[in-house]
Each structure stands twice: as C-alpha cells, then as structure tokens.
Amino acid sequence: MIAPEELEQTRKRIFFILGTSRSGSTLLQSMLNSQGDVVIPPETHFFKTNTLLENKFREDSRAEYRTKLLDFWYGHKTRIRDMRLDRDQVERAARKLGLYRALELFTLHLTLYRVERQKTIVGEKTPSHILHTEKILEAYPDAKIISLFRDPRAAAYSEIKAYFGSPSVVVTTRRWRAYVQKHKQLENKLPASRYMMLRYCDLVAAPEAVLNRVCRFLEIPYRDDMLWYYQRDEKGFAEGEKDWKSGTFKPIKKNKNEEWKTGLRSWQVSLVEQWAGKYLEEMGYQPHGGAMSKFRSVPWHLLDLGRSAWADLTNARDEGYRSPAEFDR
C-alpha cells in the first residue's frame, strides 16, 4: 500500500515534458524511460481538464467526489485509464490516505505507476501542458520543466501525416507561435535549474550530448542505455497510439527533420513562415524563401483552413477520448 512519504517523493522529484506536438517528446520520453531511475506514463492531459473536474464535483461529499471522479476516469475512454492501473487498488489507497480531490488522485496515480515499476522519479509528458504551467507550478512547486520545439514546417508536416493532427499548417503554426511565446515567458520567469528548452533537431543530431544535459538538469546519472531506447520494455504510451509512435522502436533517423522540404507544397511552406514570423529565426530556423504577399496568400489560407474545418465537421481526427465537459452528473 502507498505511504504518504511516497506521495511526497513524487511531488518533490516530478518533472514535466511539454511543448509543441510532433516535436520529439515521445522520443525523449522513450530515452528517459530507458535510464533506469525514471518512468513516464502515457499522456494524461490532466491540467487541461482539472478545473472542469473540480467544478463538477465540488458540492459532493468527499466519498462521493472520489467515487464519481474514478467512475468517470475508469468508466470511459480517458487519458487516466490509459495508465492501466487497477481502479479498486486506486480507490483503496485513496480511501486509506484520505484523498479525494482531482489533484490528490492524480498524484496518487503517478505514484502508483512509479512504485509498481520500482522507479524513484516520475515524469509527465503532455505537450499542450505548456499552456498550463501556472497550474503545474502551483500544484508542484518543486517541479522541473522541459519544453521541446521543432522547426514549425517539420511539425506541420508531421501533424498532417498523423491521423490525429491538424491538416492545416496555419492552425499548427499559430499554435507553435503561441507555445514559443509561452516558452519565452518561462525562460524569463524560471531559473535554469527549473526550466530548459530543447530542439528536436539537436536531440537527433547529438543525442548523447543532449541527454547528458537533460540528466544533469534532472539530477540523475546518464546511462548509455538511453541511446538504445528502441529496445526498451516500457512503452510509455497508450496501446491505441502504437501505430503512430512505433518509430520510437527504431534507431534515430537523422534526416527525419528534413522530410517537410519534399512533403509540403510551396504555398504551405510560405504560410508556415508567414505565421511563424520573427520566431522562426529566433528559434534558430532559417526561412526557406518564396514568401507570398498577404494578398496573394488569401486563397491558400482559405484552402488550408477549409481542410481544418472539414476535419472538425466530420470528426475525422477525433481520438475518441471523453471530456469532463461531456460528463452528466
């Protein structure tokens, strides 16, 4: 049974991997899951939904709150259920420890996941959590944060290829730009001992050097096993994600970051660079050229955003996860 000291260990040593989607976060997760002391479960998306969860159950008694929350997490397709913990074990531990609030139960899940695997440190990887860092740092004041970024043209092309990603380079690049702005805020707000930013191109070009930096940041020993991540036992992602994350069971393809040069149309490249603006070069990426005027880009914008609208209308890229907003009390 979980002891209070183990919950405290989770809170004290936890770290978060976030940033833009399709930017190598699963690769880094796989490498760290091969280190020996660390485990990172499938994406939880917890901080995107915890306020909704709190509001749903705040008027219930503690026991009702706990039961209804666990019923939601385990009775539907949810990210927490992807951790594949035993619901009865979770509820017994929560009852014994007097835990009932969403954040308390989230910490319990992370702790159970860590202890089952006999690891000392747990990480959490949800790229879009970069927009929720205030909540993260309020919940875990000692947390360390790693953000990952990728050339926005490569990220846009990767999202188009992934069945759950946006088919619109404008949608993807607007999100990339917002995440870069958040990165700059974090860089100014947090000390280097609490926040670090990595670029996917650097990770694949010099994995050993980058992983040594990450290990120093997390205060864990570097191990060569991290370079053999594709032979790991711990997948670190949900079963349903295997098709598009199977690349992490193969050695690094160093030219993978260049596929956008032949995969994207010239007008798509122009739109990405237009929306990335000054942040493209500020993040260390060079313009490809062929910029269009805003007037000339209008029909391409309409075509691009039309693809996004059609995907939304048809739910073509919906992963099927249940949102707390859909929960009927």
Side-chain angles (χ1 to χ4, degrees), residues 121-231:
I121 301 170
V122 67
E124 198 283 337
K125 182 206 74 113
T126 301
S128 59
H129 272 165
I130 193 168
L131 297 179
H132 304 279
T133 49
E134 289 81 6
K135 290 182 185 178
I136 289 172
L137 294 171
E138 182 181 351
Y140 302 104
D142 298 312
K144 292 176 181 278
I145 295 176
I146 302 170
S147 68
L148 266 160
F149 285 87
R150 188 178 187 178
D151 185 316
R153 297 159 296 198
Y157 180 57
S158 185
E159 284 223 19
I160 289 170
K161 291 193 300 176
Y163 88 83
F164 66 89
S166 174
S168 163
V169 300
V170 170
V171 168
T172 302
T173 309
R174 284 193 305 204
R175 189 193 317 132
W176 180 90
R177 188 177 66 180
Y179 288 8
V180 170
Q181 290 168 343
K182 191 67 180 179
H183 148 65
K184 291 182 174 295
Q185 292 172 15
L186 290 168
E187 196 172 43
N188 290 328
K189 177 182 177 181
L190 297 175
S193 61
R194 297 284 306 284
Y195 177 72
M196 75 180 304
M197 186 274 284
L198 304 176
R199 297 190 313 162
Y200 174 77
C201 58
D202 299 325
L203 179 61
V204 299
E208 185 173 354
V210 172
L211 288 172
N212 268 285
R213 284 179 53 211
V214 172
C215 289
R216 288 194 297 272
F217 176 73
L218 295 177
E219 299 176 277
I220 57 176
Y222 168 80
R223 293 192 173 102
D224 286 336
D225 287 349
M226 300 168 76
L227 297 174
W228 302 94
Y229 63 91
Y230 46 90
Q231 298 177 351

Side-chain angles (χ1 to χ4, degrees), residues 256-291:
K256 196 171 181 62
N257 213 37
E258 305 295 316
E259 291 177 350
W260 64 269
K261 292 181 178 178
T262 54
L264 290 180
R265 304 287 184 86
S266 59
W267 61 268
Q268 290 175 310
V269 174
S270 296
L271 290 184
V272 172
E273 294 184 1
Q274 187 179 117
W275 279 97
K278 65 177 183 178
Y279 297 117
L280 185 71
E281 292 188 80
E282 285 186 14
M283 294 296 286
Y285 308 111
Q286 295 303 310
H288 195 59

